[in-house]
Amino acid sequence: MNRPKSFWQRYAWVGVAVLCLAVYVVLQSSWFLDTLKGFGYEPSANVAEIEVDLELTQQGRRIFAATRPTVEGSAEFNEHCDSHDAEVSLLGCYTDGRIYIYEIELAQLASANKVTAAHELLHAAWERMGKSERRAVSELLEQLYQEQREWFDDELEVYDSDERLEEIYARAGTKLKDLPAELETHYAKYFQNRLKIVQFYQDYEAPFLALRSEMEDLAEQINLIAVEIEAERVKYLQDLEELEAQINRFNACANRVGCFTDEAEFARQRGTLLAGQVSLEQRREELNEKITVNNQRIENYRVRQEELGELSSAMNSNIEPVETLK
C-alpha cells in the first residue's frame, strides 16, 4: 500500500518552478546584466577621474561600468561613433552598449568631457527604463519641453518623437539648472549632485558666451560708429567744398582792384577763411582718429571670431588641429 504524499512532496514542483522563475528574472534584470558587463572593468585614468567628478550613485556607477566608457582621439572616436561630418560637432555616443567620448584637450573646455560622459550615461539609463517609468518620465519631459521650448535648439527637430524625448532627457539632466521636483528625484537615482554637472556645462560654455557677447557689443559699436563716421564724412566734404568755393571767391576778389573796401575787410575775410581751414583740418584729424579706432574694433572682432572658431574646432572630431608656431 502506497503511503500518501505529503504536502511538500505534492507541491514541490511548484516551489521549483517559482524558484526557477525567480532565478530567470534575476538573470534577466538590468541589475544582474550590468553587474556582469561591468565585472573586471578597469577604467583608464581619465575615465576614472571623470567618474569621480560626476559623483555617481551606486546605480549610476553600475551602469557606467557596464558601458565601459572610453575617452578617445578623433580617429578612433569617429570610427566608433560613425562621425564623419565636419558640420556636426559630436562629442560622444552610446552605441552597442558602450560609451565613447571625444577627448577635448583644450584646457578651458575640458569639463565638456565630464558633461558628455553624464549625457551618454543618461542615454544608457533611458535604454534600461521599464515601460511604466519611461511613460511617467516622458510626460514630465514633454511638459518641460513645452515650457522651455526656446532653450532647446533646432537640432531636436531632426529626431522622431521617441528619440526627441530621449535627447531632451539627456540634455535636461546635464544642462538645465531648474527642473521640476519629480525629474530631480528621478535623476537623483544616478547623480548625487546633478547641479555639479550643470556647473561643468556652464564652465565650458562660458568662453563661448563671453566671446559671443563681446562680439555682439563690438558689432553694435562698429555699426553705430560707422553711421556717425559716414555722416561726419559727408558733412566734412560738403563744408570743404563750400570753404574751397569761398577761398576761390576771396582770391578772385583779391585780384580785382577795389573789390575789398579796405585792408581791414581783406584781413577780416582772410582770417575767417584761415580759421575755417584750421577747423576743417581739426575735424579731418578727429574723423581719421574715429576711423582708426573703429578699424581697431573691426580687427578685435575678427580676432574674437577666430578665437570662437578655434573653440568650436576644438570640439569637432572631424577638424584637424592647426599647428601654431611657438
Side-chain angles (χ1 to χ4, degrees):
M1 181 175 180
N2 295 330
R3 296 176 60 184
K5 294 181 179 180
S6 68
F7 176 85
W8 295 112
Q9 288 175 319
R10 282 182 293 171
Y11 295 100
W13 66 272
V14 176
V16 172
V18 170
L19 178 61
C20 290
L21 179 60
V23 171
Y24 175 80
V25 169
V26 170
L27 293 177
Q28 294 301 310
S29 69
S30 61
W31 176 89
F32 178 80
L33 293 175
D34 284 340
T35 301
L36 189 63
K37 291 175 183 176
F39 182 76
Y41 169 65
E42 292 293 338
S44 61
N46 50 5
V47 172
E49 182 181 351
I50 288 173
E51 182 177 0
V52 170
D53 288 339
L54 292 183
E55 296 186 16
L56 302 175
T57 63
Q58 184 175 356
Q59 184 174 355
R61 290 195 301 272
R62 184 171 60 250
I63 296 175
F64 196 70
T67 60
R68 295 177 172 261
T70 58
V71 178
E72 301 180 321
S74 57
E76 298 87 350
F77 175 81
N78 291 340
E79 186 64 29
H80 284 133
C81 293
D82 193 24
S83 176
H84 304 289
D85 186 354
E87 299 300 317
V88 178
S89 295
L90 188 65
L91 299 181
C93 68
Y94 172 65
T95 180
D96 296 329
R98 296 285 306 278
I99 286 177
Y100 299 98
I101 303 164
Y102 174 55
E103 184 174 18
I104 307 297
E105 298 181 345
L106 201 61
Q108 62 190 132
L109 303 179
S111 61
N113 293 324
K114 303 169 189 177
V115 179
T116 299
H119 180 104
E120 301 306 331
L121 174 62
L122 288 178
H123 279 297
W126 179 271
E127 182 182 67
R128 288 158 170 76
M129 273 191 221
K131 290 184 179 179
S132 59
E133 182 182 20
R134 185 179 293 181
R135 189 182 307 113
V137 172
S138 294
E139 290 176 359
L140 294 171
L141 293 172
E142 189 61 54
Q143 182 178 354
L144 178 68
Y145 177 66
Q146 296 303 327
E147 291 174 353
Q148 302 196 41
R149 194 160 186 162
E150 71 285 351
W151 184 84
F152 296 98
D153 54 42
D154 295 336
E155 292 178 7
L156 291 176
E157 300 302 323
V158 303
Y159 297 99
D160 62 33
S161 57
D162 291 336
E163 291 176 336
R164 179 171 57 85
L165 282 174
E166 181 179 350
E167 188 62 21
I168 292 172
Y169 174 71
R171 294 189 186 193
T174 55
K175 297 180 179 180
L176 269 180
K177 183 177 180 180
D178 298 315
L179 291 177
E182 297 93 332
L183 279 177
E184 286 289 7
T185 300
H186 171 81
Y187 287 122
K189 292 168 57 178
Y190 312 109
F191 307 116
Q192 297 181 57
N193 184 2
R194 190 189 67 85
L195 291 182
K196 185 178 180 181
I197 299 170
V198 175
Q199 185 60 56
F200 288 146
Y201 166 67
Q202 293 175 347
D203 288 346
Y204 86 76
E205 273 289 289
F208 289 95
L209 295 177
L211 283 172
R212 292 188 184 112
S213 176
E214 190 172 354
M215 289 172 65
E216 288 176 3
D217 290 342
L218 282 170
E220 184 177 356
Q221 293 178 51
I222 288 168
N223 293 331
L224 179 64
I225 300 303
V227 171
E228 293 180 5
I229 287 173
E230 180 59 20
E232 291 176 19
R233 187 187 69 83
V234 170
K235 184 66 169 62
Y236 168 80
L237 292 176
Q238 290 175 344
D239 292 347
L240 177 62
E241 184 178 3
E242 175 60 27
L243 180 62
E244 288 175 344
Q246 292 175 4
I247 291 173
N248 290 334
R249 288 195 295 271
F250 174 83
N251 289 335
C253 187
N255 291 327
R256 295 199 306 271
V257 177
C259 185
F260 293 106
T261 56
D262 51 33
E263 288 294 326
E265 178 62 19
F266 171 85
R268 186 189 66 77
Q269 290 191 26
R270 183 174 181 276
T272 299
L273 293 174
L274 289 175
Q277 286 181 315
V278 171
S279 176
L280 274 179
E281 178 60 19
Q282 183 178 354
R283 285 169 56 187
R284 186 187 69 81
E285 291 176 355
E286 290 173 352
L287 182 57
N288 283 339
E289 177 62 23
K290 183 175 286 191
I291 292 172
T292 298
V293 171
N294 217 38
N295 285 341
Q296 185 58 56
R297 290 193 186 96
I298 294 172
E299 175 61 17
N300 290 342
Y301 183 92
R302 186 192 64 78
V303 171
R304 300 297 177 270
Q305 194 172 42
E306 286 185 357
E307 292 174 353
L308 185 61
E310 290 172 1
L311 289 179
S312 299
S313 295
M315 300 185 73
N316 192 324
S317 62
N318 285 285
I319 296 180
E320 292 293 330
V322 178
E323 295 185 2
T324 55
L325 296 176
K326 294 183 180 180

